[in-house]
Amino acid sequence: MNKPRIDQDIVTRSVDQRVGELLGRMTLAEKIGQMNQVHSDGAGVDHLRGSIQSGRIGSVINEVDVETVNELQRIAVEESRLGIPLLIGRDVIHGFKTVMPIPLGQAATWNPEIVREAARAAACEAAASGVNWTFAPMIDISRDPRWGRIAESFGEDAHLTSALGAAMIRGFQGDKLTGRDSIAACAKHFAGYGACESGRDYAATNIPENELRNVYLPPFKAAVDAGVCSVMTSFSDLDGVPATANEFLLQQVLRDEWDFDGLVVSDWDSVRQLAIHGLTENDKASALAAVTAGVDMEMVGESYLHHLAELINEGRVDESMIDAMVSRILRVKVSLGLFEHPYTDPSTLPAIANADVMETARKAALQSVVLLKNDQQVLPLSSQQLKSLAIIGPLADAPYEQLGTWVFDGDERLSVTPLRAICDLIGESVNVRYVRAMKTSRSRASDEFDEAQQIALESDATILFLGEESILSGEAHCRADIDLPGDQADLVRHVAVPGKPVIAVIMAGRPLTLTNVLDHLDAILYAWHPGTMGGAAIADLLFGVESPSGKLPVTFPKMVGQIPIYYNQKNTGKPPSPETTVNIDSIDARAPQTSFGMTAFHLDAGYEPLFVFGHGLSYAEFEYRKLQLESPQIQLGDTLRVSAELTNRGEVAADEVVQCYIRDLIGSVTRPVKELKDFRRVRLVPGETREVTFELPTDKLAFHGRGGGSVVEPGAFHVWVGGTSETELRGEFRVISPTDEA
Ligand code: GLC
């Protein structure tokens, strides 16, 4: 077949002109083909050749062999009638071959720049395999650690998730989308997926519009504002209408209110699943529901391919709608420069796992680890004073497990494990002894516990490496009990030798309920799943080469029964306090069955979490003083400057994440008791004092009010600055409207 020359001046015209010109030449079948993404699963070319030649495929997912990808592109460009290149999609969630900390760990850095840098590195490695579209960032607000996908989220807060999601998009898409190392990003899963009942993946979500708009939608708006190329619909049923067929989400919010002009892709086979939800009776009806709602491309399932033409011929779908959808798909392809450079030459891209990428992975891991507890300052350990060290546990030397979930392409051979890094760092001066003690994190066998106990007894200090294997979090991997799995708690009790420091380094894809081991541990470093360079970062933190600086992006419950528990909760009409709570063990059996004086708490858990959002200790000692407001009141439309003095009273230089929270005391709908509105990572040397200033324009105080729409309501506000959400350094201000002034 003579391949039509790509119209060379197509390169110089505007994107829309080029798209319009191309669309005008397409048959209906070719248009529908662009809306079809098929699964390759590394099965080579032959099973796709014919469909690509006939223009029935617009995108391929899960092919990462660069030669195969180039051949797929060659068939599309040189053997199909119009030569339209393919979108090559892959879940590049937190790295590619070099793996960065899981997104929940990256969130604990509270550092948009390192998140951007990590995504940039991932884009370079993925692009070298021919990938030009990733299905990330996942920006579902996650308040339920039972949910396996909390691991790939940025946690419970909309402001933090918005900032980090936008940073990840910038990282993936680069400075210019046509760059050979730029890949299109995809904000997912639109929307409300994280509210799945009981933290069970794919379960229904019931979210009042006010909550949806104030909590779950803002990160997606931030993603659209950051120029994300695509949005993925969620599997989940939102208030009775699954997201993949939800016109309110896909048309009213995304298109009409936000003016998003990128492409919307379904989740995996989520179009056909509409029938399983019970929304439609068959694939044809599902295709109609999804295309009518605004899903441009179907990920796998092929209901579009088999039914859209028929629906158009029956007059139930207008071809002008298809034209608009195909235009959005073509616009992404043109914007990526695929018509100019459809093929990948890995030699034009940075080497996989190069020094810069490994350094980014190390820095990200270093900043992601949260020091939860450090009694008697047992950390950092000193290799000068230490003569012997016991290292115990299933995750001390687990190169694959430390990578975490969603690592289809991660190369565990690149991993630096904690055991190896510690031995490299101090092995010459300290006698390091290692007992795995448990085959896996879930093992129920204690036959190695005595040996573990013995090396603990004989060593100056013990470090336990505990947590969850990678497979225990991620999609469809939810847990109803989020204690340390297996017999790990028994192992802790077995080796916790009185009088000697017992430190735990915990790797997990979620907050775990640590109440049953907390008192046996002098210090806890929470490393999430820290990725390829996790071991090197952990060793540097254990021995004080660097101070921990991570802060929790999600609340840690005492027990699973407290869930959902998160910092920015509503006050209720009966807020709890130490004075109004009663402990289940002390309540008098004859206590009056009255609600008088009772408040919102659990008899067996109280009302406070184990660790709060924003918590994270340091080897330095940060003191916050002198909260100052530029003015006690500001007018609507003005900006309030809030500053506080931060001093490092410690003996080491360290980073601190300074956080700024507000509370809107009165609203037309009730407002959270605290809301993160800004944050900044700063580094201070010992004795250094710095004034940290935040700017609060009144539009940052906006929320979706009772009357619908975004409002800033005049009235009284509190503002806090500190190193945790429970900071008590507080100021007060008023927002006034011009009429108030008069
Ligand atoms: C999965 C996930 C989605 C992912 C897609 C492709 O089921 O829900 O996040 O991007 O399928 O792997």
Side-chain angles (χ1 to χ4, degrees), residues 187-205:
K188 72 183 186 183
H189 307 77
F190 196 57
Y193 187 18
C196 49
E197 287 180 327
S198 78
R200 201 159 34 89
D201 205 0
Y202 314 126
T205 66

Side-chain angles (χ1 to χ4, degrees), residues 61 91 135 149 188-189 232 235 267-268 299 406 475:
I61 179 174
D91 292 286
F135 304 116
R149 303 199 76 162
K188 72 183 186 183
H189 307 77
M232 182 188 293
F235 283 123
D267 202 335
W268 190 285
M299 177 186 287
W406 283 110
E475 180 174 352

Side-chain angles (χ1 to χ4, degrees), residues 322-350:
I322 302 298
D323 288 351
M325 294 175 144
V326 175
S327 295
R328 291 192 283 263
I329 295 168
L330 294 176
R331 194 177 298 129
V332 173
K333 296 186 175 185
V334 171
S335 302
L336 281 167
L338 293 185
F339 286 86
E340 289 73 38
H341 54 77
Y343 307 120
T344 300
D345 174 1
S347 68
T348 64
L349 290 156

Side-chain angles (χ1 to χ4, degrees), residues 356-667:
D356 291 343
V357 171
M358 299 303 263
E359 177 55 13
T360 297
R362 190 191 68 83
K363 270 191 321 186
L366 203 61
Q367 294 184 18
S368 70
V369 178
V370 181
L371 180 59
L372 294 179
K373 175 180 183 182
N374 192 19
D375 289 356
Q376 287 83 44
Q377 310 304 307
V378 294
L379 285 178
L381 295 170
S382 160
S383 55
Q384 277 71 39
Q385 291 158 13
L386 216 54
K387 293 290 169 272
S388 55
L389 177 65
I391 293 183
I392 297 167
L395 296 175
D397 196 31
Y400 173 78
E401 304 307 343
Q402 69 187 54
L403 301 181
T405 186
W406 283 110
V407 287
F408 291 151
D409 305 296
D411 184 347
E412 65 180 277
R413 296 167 302 176
L414 299 171
S415 291
V416 177
T417 66
L419 177 66
R420 186 186 124 196
I422 291 169
C423 291
D424 289 351
L425 187 64
I426 56 133
E428 288 187 5
S429 60
V430 178
N431 175 23
V432 178
R433 300 164 70 187
Y434 166 54
V435 171
R436 188 182 181 102
M438 295 171 68
K439 189 170 182 307
T440 76
S441 72
R442 290 165 285 166
S443 299
R444 296 271 183 204
S446 56
D447 43 313
E448 279 193 34
F449 282 19
D450 288 346
E451 184 188 357
Q453 186 183 63
Q454 192 57 36
I455 69 167
L457 284 167
E458 294 167 0
S459 298
D460 295 339
T462 294
I463 307 176
L464 284 147
F465 285 87
L466 307 169
E468 291 178 322
E469 291 146 283
S470 161
I471 197 62
L472 298 183
S473 62
E475 180 174 352
H477 290 76
C478 307
R479 296 177 62 204
D481 171 351
I482 54 173
D483 281 357
L484 284 164
D487 282 347
Q488 292 184 66
D490 291 344
L491 175 60
V492 171
R493 289 187 282 270
H494 210 76
V495 304
V497 178
K500 291 189 178 181
V502 181
I503 296 133
V505 176
I506 296 176
M507 296 187 193
R510 55 165 54 86
L512 297 177
T513 39
L514 301 170
T515 310
N516 61 349
V517 294
L518 194 65
D519 294 343
H520 298 285
L521 299 169
D522 298 305
I524 301 173
L525 280 172
Y526 213 81
W528 317 100
H529 284 118
T532 299
M533 291 299 282
I538 289 166
D540 282 356
L541 295 170
L542 285 167
F543 289 91
V545 174
E546 183 53 72
S547 165
S549 59
K551 299 285 185 178
L552 294 182
V554 63
T555 299
F556 276 53
K558 291 175 190 150
M559 58 175 74
V560 73
Q562 290 185 292
I563 294 169
I565 183 168
Y566 47 92
Y567 88 95
N568 48 350
Q569 59 186 348
K570 297 301 186 69
N571 201 35
T572 78
K574 296 185 170 200
S577 64
E579 299 72 36
T580 63
T581 52
V582 181
N583 182 293
I584 195 166
D585 296 325
S586 61
I587 193 167
D588 186 316
R590 294 292 180 180
Q593 274 294 341
T594 173
S595 65
F596 293 142
M598 299 301 272
T599 58
F601 70 96
H602 292 103
L603 286 171
D604 49 359
Y607 61 93
E608 293 173 309
L610 192 62
F611 297 109
V612 298
F613 177 82
H615 170 71
L617 303 177
S618 171
Y619 296 156
E621 188 189 326
F622 289 108
E623 180 191 49
Y624 288 84
R625 292 178 308 136
K626 289 187 187 173
L627 179 76
Q628 289 183 319
L629 283 65
E630 188 181 38
S631 163
Q633 67 178 32
I634 53 169
Q635 277 218 11
L636 281 173
D638 284 354
T639 293
L640 178 69
R641 280 170 192 75
V642 181
S643 63
E645 269 195 7
L646 173 65
T647 301
N648 179 350
R649 299 280 185 215
E651 294 166 9
V652 295
D655 282 12
E656 168 74 342
V657 176
V658 184
Q659 302 154 47
C660 179
Y661 298 87
I662 63 109
R663 180 181 181 182
D664 185 350
L665 294 174
I666 310 287

